[in-house]
Amino acid sequence: MNEIKEKVKADYLKGLKYKVICEKYDLSINTLKSWIKRYKWSDEKKKGAHKNKRGAPLNNKNAIGNKGGAPPKNKNAEKHGFFSKYLPDETLEIIQEIEQKNPIDILWENIQIQYAAIIRAQKIMYVRDKEDITKHLKKEKDGDIFTEKEWEFQYAWDKQANFLRAQSRAMSELRSMIKRYEEMLKSDLATEEQKLRIQKLKAEIDKVKDKDDDKTIEIVIKRRGEDI
């Protein structure tokens, strides 16, 4: 195992992508991340980048007016030099993983997150009936004789109206992302899996929509004194 770790470390320090290293040594991405963090390989990688000073060849015109090459601690030789100067290691690792992703897959993940948020909102913002009132303590002030309390009430119609507005905006954004996704599928680079996944999602959305359409609302109007 130590021999494998040394080889993995050497490839990591060379700048090989996580996916390439994991496939080469049959490792999971979590194991690789764990080793990088535990043995502080990212610190060694940064130090190695600092030592890698590159200058223009002798008599090269690019060296005219340049007194000694790049400034001290310059990170131009580092692939993510600008980011590594300001961002933590975990963020840099995420950037490396994103580089390996297809733009279509990145958009798909955002579609999934948006759709999951819409489904979750159905549970969080559920309004039981017209008597569903939420009472919230807004402010409390202790006095010498009594305590002053200010309450905020949210009535069923207010909660339902807020939910419908939020749901409408979320669905509009979801439709927009699905439209962009379908446009990207026209590319020759799109795989069959990427095409099928959007069809499945649209079918699920239609099911949710059909369930909502099946719910009928009955409005009864009666005059005073009349029994229904």
Side-chain angles (χ1 to χ4, degrees):
M1 179 60 72
N2 290 332
E3 184 179 350
I4 294 176
K5 283 183 182 177
E6 289 300 323
K7 291 180 179 179
V8 170
K9 177 182 177 181
D11 285 345
Y12 170 76
L13 295 178
K14 288 177 184 177
L16 265 66
K17 292 184 177 181
Y18 285 25
K19 185 178 180 181
V20 176
I21 296 174
C22 290
E23 290 178 353
K24 185 176 179 181
Y25 298 101
D26 193 22
L27 296 174
S28 69
I29 193 74
N30 290 331
T31 299
L32 177 57
K33 286 182 180 179
S34 174
W35 288 357
I36 292 171
K37 187 174 182 180
R38 187 187 310 164
Y39 303 114
K40 299 181 179 179
W41 292 349
S42 58
D43 293 341
E44 290 187 44
K45 189 175 181 181
K46 288 180 181 179
K47 291 177 182 178
H50 291 164
K51 294 177 182 178
N52 185 16
K53 296 180 180 179
R54 296 179 181 177
L58 186 63
N59 298 324
N60 188 285
K61 292 183 179 180
N62 292 331
I64 297 175
N66 188 334
K67 300 178 180 179
K73 298 185 179 180
N74 184 278
K75 294 196 173 186
N76 291 333
E78 203 171 328
K79 188 172 183 182
H80 297 295
F82 175 78
F83 293 115
S84 64
K85 183 177 179 181
Y86 301 103
L87 302 179
D89 292 340
E90 290 183 2
T91 306
L92 289 173
E93 290 175 10
I94 293 172
I95 291 175
Q96 286 183 325
E97 290 186 31
I98 291 174
E99 283 184 339
Q100 301 170 20
K101 287 183 176 292
N102 185 300
I104 299 178
D105 291 332
I106 293 175
L107 179 56
W108 172 248
E109 289 176 355
N110 279 273
I111 289 173
Q112 288 182 303
I113 292 170
Q114 181 73 359
Y115 183 52
I118 290 171
I119 298 301
R120 186 167 180 265
Q122 298 277 358
K123 298 180 179 180
I124 295 176
M125 304 184 75
Y126 173 74
V127 181
R128 185 178 65 255
D129 53 36
K130 67 178 182 179
E131 304 299 332
D132 189 351
I133 302 173
T134 301
K135 182 180 178 182
H136 173 68
L137 181 60
K138 190 175 181 181
K139 188 191 299 183
E140 184 174 0
K141 183 180 179 181
D142 293 328
D144 296 334
I145 301 175
F146 58 87
T147 300
E148 179 183 348
K149 294 183 178 180
E150 182 179 343
W151 297 88
E152 179 181 336
F153 290 86
Q154 284 188 321
Y155 295 93
W157 49 86
D158 291 326
K159 294 195 286 185
Q160 184 70 3
N162 290 334
F163 168 71
L164 291 175
R165 283 195 294 268
Q167 189 80 331
S168 177
R169 289 194 299 269
M171 286 299 296
S172 177
E173 179 62 25
L174 179 62
R175 286 193 296 269
S176 177
M177 287 194 292
I178 289 176
K179 184 178 179 181
R180 292 201 301 272
Y181 187 90
E182 289 179 319
E183 289 174 354
M184 294 177 73
L185 290 181
K186 297 175 183 178
S187 167
D188 295 335
L189 299 176
T191 64
E192 193 64 28
E193 180 187 353
Q194 291 169 337
K195 294 176 182 178
L196 291 174
R197 63 170 59 142
I198 196 66
Q199 295 175 12
K200 181 181 177 183
L201 175 64
K202 291 173 74 173
E204 290 176 359
I205 293 174
D206 288 339
K207 287 181 182 178
V208 174
K209 196 174 180 182
D210 290 340
K211 287 181 181 179
D212 291 339
D213 292 341
D214 290 341
K215 295 177 183 177
T216 58
I217 300 174
E218 181 181 2
I219 301 176
V220 179
I221 301 175
K222 67 176 183 178
R223 294 185 178 88
R224 184 178 300 174
E226 290 181 347
D227 294 330
I228 300 298

